[in-house]
Amino acid sequence: MSITRTALEEVEKRFNRLIGTSATNLCTHCGWCVESCHVYLSTLNPELSPVAKTERVRRVLKRSHDWLSKLVPFWTGAADLTESELDKWVELAYKYCTLCERCVINCPMAVETPQIMGAIRGTLTSIKKSPEILDQLTGAEIAREDGLDMMREIFREHIVDLEKEVQEKLNNPSAKIPIEEEAEILYVPLSGVHTIIPPAVIFNYVGASWTLSMFESSNYAMFLGDIPRAKQIVNRILKEAERLNVKEIVLSECGHAYAAFRWEAPKWFGEPLKFKVSSILEVMDDYLETGVLTFDSSQNGEAITYHDPCNIGRKGGIFEEPRRIINVISSNYREMYPSREQNFCCGGGGGLVANTDWQDYRIETGKVKADQIRETRAKKVLTSCDNCLHQIQEISEYYDLNVEVSNVSQWAISALTIT
Amino acid sequence: MTNEYILHFIEYELQAIALMWMAVLYTIKIVQLSRLPISWERGEKKGNPTRGVLRSYGTIFMPWSMESSKTHLWRWAEFGLYHIGALVAIFNTFTFPFAPAMMTPFVRVLFAVLIAPAFVVGILKLIRRIGKQELRIISTPDDYFSLVSLQFFFFFGIMALLVGTPSWRMAYFLITAGFLFYVPFSKISHYIYFFFSRYLTGKRYGWRGVIPRLESKS
Amino acid sequence: MDKDMSIAKTLNLEGLLCPIPVVKLSNAVKGIGVGEVIEATATDPGVMMDIPAWCKSTGNDLISLDKEDGIFRFVVCRVN
């Protein structure tokens, strides 16, 4: 079977009501979405507007789903899928669209461009045309489970050093980083130590019953639209949570991990998860509200701003939690404009940060975010996503923003009231 | 065959056939769409999906809610004028044959005044579609044909209202029938998909507490 | 590490947070021949988990992974 035919069959498998609605005549080509896209605004390339990008895919979908396009394709711009077009799709779905959904918010018809691009990502993965690095990172995440005994040994060694850091920060020699112990909370970090120490400090500070997961929360399979492997990555954490009898799974500050676990996984499994799933931001916000977490705000007059990661904010519904935390600590918080559901993608979303082949382009499309940050005149940018963190660090350097970038929890622990 | 008979046929029988044609095709479209699988939100609800859906349908009436309309208020006004004109021109195809008593000179002028801005906006839309590169590269023959046909629809509608001779009315109702036959195939059928799209998107954003945004803990 | 095994490439990944060390290692490995060896240093302890997992999933050989003075040093041989 030809690769284009296989691709079309794979597209059909993913053709659901949401995509079907957006795939044919919903879009009137009005062009309102054009300026909502950071890729277009950074490049001013009309072929990179949301509608132009989606149209490249839509014309193929129309060919098989729209009556007029089946009969007289030239009339609606419909076209058959070719091998060269498949190569173009790789760039459209993985490079030129970060799945940020800003165009959806600003489309009068609510055309779901990212849903279409997500289906195309899955299609490309199934025919092995997706970026290799995302596939490798997914493979590495899964391999962590395959070699669990060896990993456990490495992990325990690794944690001993981190525990000392937590004890020093809290001035408390009995502070612990429990691993694989029965507890109320299972905290799932990323690999980076900056996602382990701050939550460990916070959990010890409030005296929470918690344990650290053996796994990491990131889910590169979601970027690939590879649902079987995305489920596998989530499932191992669910099994761990069940084994440890926890009540709540708390995720590190990672945008796509939150979106995957909190919102997408229940859809993949077809039922609600047995555990409450929260971001560490939500947990910190709860601790603040109940008064168990207290901060010393006297030293925090530095100009600070917050970047809403798309997966946490526009796709996740977490807007006020980080702001409540930041405003307790900082007396000089400056809102970025626009922000919350209208915030711009940093340019590194959708797995783009991991792809060094497209690094120059990624920095170029970070221009909108750089301009937004510059306008706040903040000296520090906080965010809640490692991809955003990395991207903003790079654009800060490239565009001479001269800002420090940090995750919220990492920044917040320096202001803890420690007696 | 008299002109009167032809006009009657065009205003009644032909419209009825065209409307039935459109209704059948729309029914098929809606059934096809409804049969596609959908995975509803299943994560623990954070916001209010009903409010999300209502807000989603209301978005277009709240220009401040989208950056694309807030920063281009004139474009939003054009959108409003265009759709008001289209609705009046469609409504008019029913009032002419079925409520002739209602069509007083004042009402005729009022309807014409409501359709006229849509005609002007249509010209601006056409100029922009040809003149602006970002619109030109995404435009298809269907885009141009739909836009130009609507211009004729508005124009004949205005002339039928203001002049009112059988030939203008014939032209108006002929293009109306042509539209009814063509619309289910073209992008003009966007308003059918609109109800699906806004519902699904509104429900998802509402469920997740994205839109309407949750200002405080529930 | 085999004393006869010469290092084809060295990589400084210090200061980078995961998954960037894995991404850079993956790219660097593409630039060496099969059977050749790459040596890298990193500071993010996440590499202790990520590098063995990446080697396992891609089929490359992790020859060594050590920690000294807060620096993680690892040697990887390209297999395919």
Side-chain angles (χ1 to χ4, degrees):
Chain A
M1 195 188 291
S2 72
I3 192 166
T4 51
R5 198 161 156 205
T6 311
L8 284 173
E9 282 182 6
E10 290 294 332
V11 171
E12 286 310 309
K13 287 182 195 165
R14 292 162 176 83
F15 200 86
N16 60 26
R17 203 179 306 169
L18 204 55
I19 294 167
T21 306
S22 293
T24 56
N25 283 321
L26 174 66
C27 177
T28 61
H29 301 159
C30 68
W32 284 29
C33 61
V34 172
E35 290 168 12
S36 68
C37 177
H38 67 283
V39 175
Y40 171 78
L41 290 174
S42 300
T43 61
L44 294 178
N45 181 348
E47 288 183 3
L48 298 185
S49 73
V51 57
K53 286 180 276 191
T54 323
E55 205 55 30
R56 291 292 295 253
V57 174
R58 196 157 36 219
R59 62 188 194 164
V60 173
L61 300 178
K62 276 184 175 176
R63 190 77 176 96
S64 43
H65 288 277
D66 177 53
W67 296 329
L68 200 56
S69 304
K70 285 180 187 174
L71 293 170
V72 270
F74 89 93
W75 190 253
T76 60
D80 290 317
L81 184 59
T82 59
E83 281 193 42
S84 63
E85 190 62 17
L86 269 176
D87 291 334
K88 184 74 188 166
W89 277 13
V90 175
E91 290 201 324
L92 287 172
Y94 282 102
K95 182 180 177 186
Y96 298 132
C97 180
T98 57
L99 313 179
C100 79
E101 291 195 11
R102 195 166 190 272
C103 56
V104 182
I105 296 272
N106 287 294
C107 170
M109 310 302 291
V111 173
E112 292 271 6
T113 291
Q115 293 286 335
I116 294 177
M117 291 303 181
I120 298 308
R121 284 183 175 214
T123 298
L124 293 165
T125 300
S126 67
I127 57 168
K128 306 207 177 309
K129 269 191 169 284
S130 291
E132 189 188 6
I133 187 64
L134 293 180
D135 185 59
Q136 285 189 5
L137 289 168
T138 302
E141 283 179 328
I142 288 169
R144 214 158 143 155
E145 188 183 12
D146 295 342
L148 198 57
D149 288 336
M150 182 191 83
M151 293 292 172
R152 187 174 277 127
E153 203 179 309
I154 298 173
F155 201 52
R156 286 190 185 281
E157 249 177 64
H158 166 43
I159 291 303
V160 172
D161 292 340
L162 303 188
E163 206 167 58
K164 283 181 198 150
E165 277 191 54
V166 174
Q167 290 165 356
E168 278 169 27
K169 279 191 196 301
L170 287 170
N171 196 18
N172 175 5
S174 60
K176 294 269 173 243
I177 301 184
I179 310 170
E180 294 188 298
E181 289 179 12
E182 287 205 7
E184 286 185 11
I185 291 171
L186 175 68
Y187 172 70
V188 193
L190 296 173
S191 285
V193 65
H194 63 296
T195 67
I196 298 176
I197 291 178
V201 168
I202 289 159
F203 287 134
N204 275 286
Y205 185 90
V206 303
S209 161
W210 76 291
T211 189
L212 185 68
S213 170
M214 276 292 299
F215 303 106
E216 55 173 334
S217 58
S218 67
N219 193 327
Y220 285 95
M222 190 174 80
F223 290 139
L224 289 168
D226 184 344
I227 307 306
R229 285 204 290 174
K231 281 169 74 174
Q232 200 179 339
I233 289 167
V234 169
N235 204 35
R236 62 199 182 154
I237 297 167
L238 292 176
K239 281 193 294 186
E240 189 184 31
E242 206 156 331
R243 185 162 48 84
L244 300 175
N245 209 16
V246 304
K247 291 182 182 148
E248 184 177 4
I249 295 171
V250 176
L251 303 166
S252 55
E253 290 186 78
C254 172
H256 80 276
Y258 182 75
F261 222 112
R262 176 75 172 87
W263 301 115
E264 301 305 325
K267 292 200 272 186
W268 300 332
F269 290 107
E271 59 185 4
L273 303 182
K274 288 179 192 159
F275 307 94
K276 183 181 180 193
V277 176
S278 312
S279 158
I280 184 71
L281 288 175
E282 292 168 295
V283 172
M284 284 171 71
D285 185 40
D286 285 342
Y287 289 156
L288 264 182
E289 194 185 32
T290 52
V292 290
L293 191 61
T294 55
F295 293 106
D296 173 11
S297 58
S298 59
Q299 302 295 314
N300 280 287
E302 186 182 32
I304 207 157
T305 188
Y306 175 72
H307 160 73
D308 288 280
C310 308
N311 276 309
I312 294 280
R314 186 160 42 241
K315 290 157 92 172
I318 296 181
F319 296 115
E320 302 313 318
E321 292 85 343
R323 287 172 171 80
R324 280 194 286 264
I325 298 164
I326 295 165
N327 279 312
V328 162
I329 300 170
S330 169
S331 56
N332 196 1
Y333 175 66
R334 298 170 182 199
E335 193 67 47
M336 219 177 267
Y337 180 81
S339 66
R340 296 182 171 89
E341 76 273 13
Q342 285 288 357
N343 189 44
F344 279 104
C345 171
C346 62
L352 208 53
V353 151
N355 202 320
T356 48
D357 292 344
W358 296 331
Q359 186 169 342
D360 292 345
Y361 155 83
R362 168 166 60 78
I363 300 300
E364 184 189 357
T365 57
K367 185 182 178 302
V368 175
K369 182 52 58 185
D371 290 343
Q372 270 193 296
I373 293 170
R374 190 179 285 114
E375 274 172 35
T376 65
R377 298 189 178 185
K379 292 288 167 216
K380 192 179 274 283
V381 180
L382 298 180
T383 188
S384 304
C385 167
D386 247 35
N387 278 359
C388 300
L389 181 90
H390 183 79
Q391 167 77 349
I392 296 171
Q393 278 170 341
E394 285 201 26
I395 61 174
S396 169
E397 201 174 312
Y398 184 84
Y399 292 101
D400 285 329
L401 300 178
N402 201 21
V403 290
E404 267 184 65
V405 194
S406 165
N407 277 333
V408 174
S409 58
Q410 201 181 355
W411 167 77
I413 57 164
S414 61
L416 277 174
T417 318
I418 295 172
T419 48
Chain B
M1 212 186 291
T2 62
N3 268 356
E4 202 179 318
Y5 177 80
I6 295 172
L7 182 61
H8 185 277
F9 173 79
I10 292 172
E11 283 191 0
Y12 290 87
E13 286 83 354
L14 183 61
Q15 300 305 311
I17 293 165
L19 274 170
M20 275 191 284
W21 163 264
M22 191 171 80
V24 168
L25 292 189
Y26 275 170
T27 305
I28 295 170
K29 261 181 193 273
I30 290 167
V31 168
Q32 280 181 341
L33 211 48
S34 305
R35 286 170 69 180
L36 288 173
I38 184 150
S39 52
W40 297 109
E41 290 295 317
R42 290 180 190 274
E44 190 191 349
K45 188 166 65 181
K46 182 170 183 180
N48 184 330
T50 308
R51 286 186 63 202
V53 170
L54 292 174
R55 170 66 190 275
S56 180
Y57 282 128
T59 298
I60 202 61
F61 301 105
M62 299 185 285
W64 60 89
S65 67
M66 290 193 297
E67 183 191 79
S68 53
S69 45
K70 188 166 79 174
T71 55
H72 296 276
L73 277 174
W74 173 245
R75 185 168 70 182
W76 177 81
E78 277 185 11
F79 171 91
L81 292 171
Y82 196 72
H83 284 84
I84 289 169
L87 283 173
V88 172
I90 293 166
F91 182 62
N92 196 25
T93 62
F94 292 95
T95 54
F96 256 134
F98 297 112
M102 182 189 137
M103 301 306 284
T104 61
F106 171 76
V107 172
R108 281 167 174 263
V109 171
L110 176 70
F111 279 10
V113 165
L114 289 170
I115 299 170
F119 180 77
V120 176
V121 169
I123 293 170
L124 295 176
K125 280 160 87 85
L126 198 56
I127 292 169
R128 269 204 296 268
R129 192 161 288 284
I130 296 166
K132 291 185 99 171
Q133 197 193 4
E134 63 267 29
L135 290 180
R136 195 168 58 242
I137 63 166
I138 53 165
S139 298
T140 65
D142 177 46
D143 287 304
Y144 293 109
F145 181 75
S146 300
L147 204 46
V148 171
S149 308
L150 266 164
Q151 287 304 95
F152 279 106
F153 178 56
F154 292 144
F155 177 71
F156 291 145
I158 292 167
M159 297 311 280
L161 283 161
L162 297 182
V163 183
T165 57
S167 50
W168 283 119
R169 278 176 67 152
M170 244 185 253
Y172 179 45
F173 278 91
L174 274 175
I175 197 163
T176 305
F179 247 135
L180 294 175
F181 283 112
Y182 181 67
V183 163
F185 297 100
S186 89
K187 74 159 193 178
I188 305 173
S189 60
H190 63 272
Y191 58 86
I192 291 290
Y193 295 95
F194 169 88
F195 291 100
F196 279 86
S197 157
R198 280 262 157 227
Y199 176 80
L200 296 171
T201 304
K203 191 162 181 180
R204 175 164 58 95
Y205 282 142
W207 187 282
R208 296 184 182 190
V210 175
I211 297 173
R213 201 192 304 145
L214 301 173
E215 300 291 346
S216 57
K217 290 188 183 187
S218 48
Chain C
M1 191 179 133
D2 189 337
K3 279 182 182 161
D4 297 336
M5 201 174 264
S6 60
I7 306 291
K9 200 170 194 173
T10 56
L11 204 57
N12 182 352
L13 305 170
E14 291 168 32
L16 299 173
L17 301 173
C18 286
I20 305 303
V22 174
V23 170
K24 300 232 176 206
L25 175 66
S26 169
N27 277 340
V29 165
K30 277 187 218 160
I32 61 171
V34 171
E36 289 188 319
V37 165
I38 201 161
E39 184 185 45
T41 53
T43 46
D44 183 4
V47 296
M48 288 185 72
M49 302 289 285
D50 285 353
I51 300 299
W54 178 82
C55 287
K56 197 171 164 51
S57 76
T58 54
N60 289 299
D61 262 354
L62 177 62
I63 294 168
S64 65
L65 172 57
D66 308 300
K67 183 185 174 189
E68 202 179 315
D69 298 332
I71 305 284
F72 299 91
R73 188 177 305 276
F74 51 93
V75 179
V76 173
C77 176
R78 180 174 177 177
V79 171
N80 49 38

